Amino acid sequence: MPVKKPIINNKHLTYEDRQKIETGIGNRRTKADIARILNKDPSTIGKEILKHRVLKPRNTFNSPFICANMGKCRKGCAGVKCGDYVEQGCKRRDRPPGACNKCDTKKCRLDKYIYDAKKAQAAYGKTRSESREGFNLTEEERKAIGEKIAPLPV
């Protein structure tokens, strides 16, 4: 028997949807689980997280370089200039859903990505508002651009 695909809701994400995404990330849910809860496509959830997650850089004072080859390297830790330097990865950050909300790893020294529903909604509102604005040109600037693009024959 063929598996029926759920009817996908093609509306914009609301603030409540974004809060559910944030909660889902914190509860270690997959994108597919979050998508099922919101009746959205998993790719929509993934794009939302990638677009609106915020980088929280690591403290580089005590550990300026975190190399995955640090124990095996004979050159010492020369950082990014070292030919064997490989940035250490994180299973929670670098794989879906792609955010570190409520990460349970103690003393994690890596860069973190945090998804915040409030900031995501504000960024979405700003993008939506800016997309509806017109061009801010004076008449002289408009004519100058028009002359460069398609000068009128004399």
Side-chain angles (χ1 to χ4, degrees), residues 14-141:
T14 63
Y15 178 61
E16 290 78 21
D17 293 340
R18 288 182 171 87
Q19 286 178 319
K20 288 177 184 175
I21 292 171
E22 182 178 353
T23 303
I25 294 169
N27 293 335
R28 302 192 79 163
R29 300 268 187 232
T30 64
K31 290 186 301 187
D33 290 341
I34 298 169
R36 257 185 253 112
I37 292 167
L38 297 176
N39 197 25
K40 301 282 185 188
D41 191 72
S43 67
T44 302
I45 305 305
K47 289 174 190 174
E48 170 68 17
I49 293 168
L50 286 177
K51 187 172 184 178
H52 295 293
R53 67 184 184 172
V54 178
L55 174 67
K56 183 181 172 190
R58 68 179 179 262
N59 179 358
T60 57
F61 182 75
N62 292 329
S63 12
F65 309 110
I66 301 176
C67 181
N69 297 327
M70 197 175 297
K72 305 172 212 168
C73 188
R74 291 183 215 110
K75 299 175 187 176
C77 188
V80 181
K81 296 178 183 177
C82 176
D84 297 332
Y85 180 77
V86 177
E87 183 76 27
Q88 190 173 347
C90 173
K91 290 180 182 177
R92 181 140 170 117
R93 178 194 67 186
D94 298 337
R95 293 184 184 164
C100 304
N101 296 26
K102 296 184 182 177
C103 181
D104 55 359
T105 306
K106 303 286 188 227
K107 298 181 182 179
C108 177
R109 299 181 304 156
L110 302 175
D111 293 339
K112 294 174 178 47
Y113 285 105
I114 306 297
Y115 180 83
D116 183 15
K118 195 178 287 187
K119 290 180 182 177
Q121 183 67 25
Y124 166 73
K126 183 178 178 186
T127 301
R128 191 169 177 182
S129 173
E130 287 174 353
S131 70
R132 288 165 169 73
E133 291 178 0
F135 293 106
N136 191 12
L137 293 176
T138 64
E139 188 63 28
E140 294 80 26
E141 291 171 331

